[in-house]
Amino acid sequence: MAHFPNFDMLVISEVPETLTDGTTYPAQIRKLGLGAPELNQSWLHFPPSSRWNGTLLSSSMFAQGLTSSVSYGMHIGSPALGIPGSLTIGGYDKIEGLVLYIYLPKSTCDAIISLLPVTYQKKYGLYFWDVGDPRYNLIVSSRAFLSFTFRLNSGISQNFTINVPFALLNLTLTHQ
């Protein structure tokens, strides 16, 4: 276990989230800020003062020579599927991570939803499964996945592929 002298952690436990229609609700999913392009960060409008300055964890560890880079890899895991989470600072853990949202071009979304029992919910700015559709259970309980292939970079003809299992896209929203 590493110790980090002079490192404070700021925990914000209650922050209202705003939906696309302006509705606010208390955030139930927490956010974790691990890194940024610059070593030192500054945030406006942070009570009790108007400005708060700090260094994020991966930048602090890099500056202290504890890691070889400011990069990090985080895998949220899935308790429902028995997949543990992990966090690697100063590199990546070679486990494909799970993020809450996937941002894709509208044309890509249109192509995907033409094949799946989902509908766009404007209020939330999200696609919802049609749980009444007989295909729903078949899809989310199968080993099927969405596959995305990307070019490694503009100068290399190699690609890399990310497979996102439908079982991990079977999220539930609840109102509390």
Side-chain angles (χ1 to χ4, degrees):
M1 173 178 272
H3 296 278
F4 308 103
N6 300 319
F7 188 85
D8 296 323
M9 179 179 249
L10 172 67
V11 177
I12 301 173
S13 60
E14 293 188 27
V15 175
E17 293 285 339
T18 304
L19 301 175
T20 56
D21 72 349
T23 305
T24 60
Y25 66 98
Q28 298 298 315
I29 298 173
R30 304 300 183 225
K31 295 180 171 95
L32 177 63
L34 293 172
E38 301 297 326
L39 180 66
N40 296 308
Q41 300 296 306
S42 182
W43 293 269
L44 294 175
H45 309 295
F46 188 87
S49 65
S50 61
R51 182 171 289 285
W52 187 77
N53 299 308
T55 303
L56 296 177
L57 182 61
S58 63
S59 299
S60 178
M61 292 176 71
F62 176 71
Q64 295 175 48
L66 299 172
T67 62
S68 60
S69 73
V70 297
S71 63
Y72 61 90
M74 183 172 186
H75 183 272
I76 302 297
S78 174
L81 299 176
I83 301 170
S86 67
L87 173 63
T88 301
I89 298 176
Y92 61 97
D93 59 7
K94 296 185 182 181
I95 297 175
E96 292 178 12
L98 172 70
V99 294
L100 184 57
Y101 299 107
I102 299 173
Y103 297 96
L104 300 169
K106 185 176 183 327
S107 59
T108 303
C109 293
D110 291 344
I112 293 169
I113 68 168
S114 71
L115 303 170
L116 297 174
V118 296
T119 56
Y120 184 74
Q121 301 292 319
K122 187 174 182 179
K123 175 178 180 174
Y124 301 99
L126 300 170
Y127 291 88
F128 282 26
W129 287 104
D130 178 357
V131 296
D133 188 298
R135 297 175 295 163
Y136 163 73
N137 281 327
L138 179 66
I139 292 169
V140 299
S141 64
S142 73
R143 297 179 60 119
F145 53 83
L146 280 175
S147 182
F148 300 95
T149 301
F150 302 93
R151 180 170 286 224
L152 196 55
N153 66 42
S154 62
I156 297 177
S157 61
Q158 293 177 314
N159 295 330
F160 70 95
T161 300
I162 297 174
N163 295 326
V164 182
F166 285 113
L168 294 179
L169 296 176
N170 187 24
L171 304 175
T172 303
L173 293 178
T174 57
H175 180 69
Q176 295 182 339

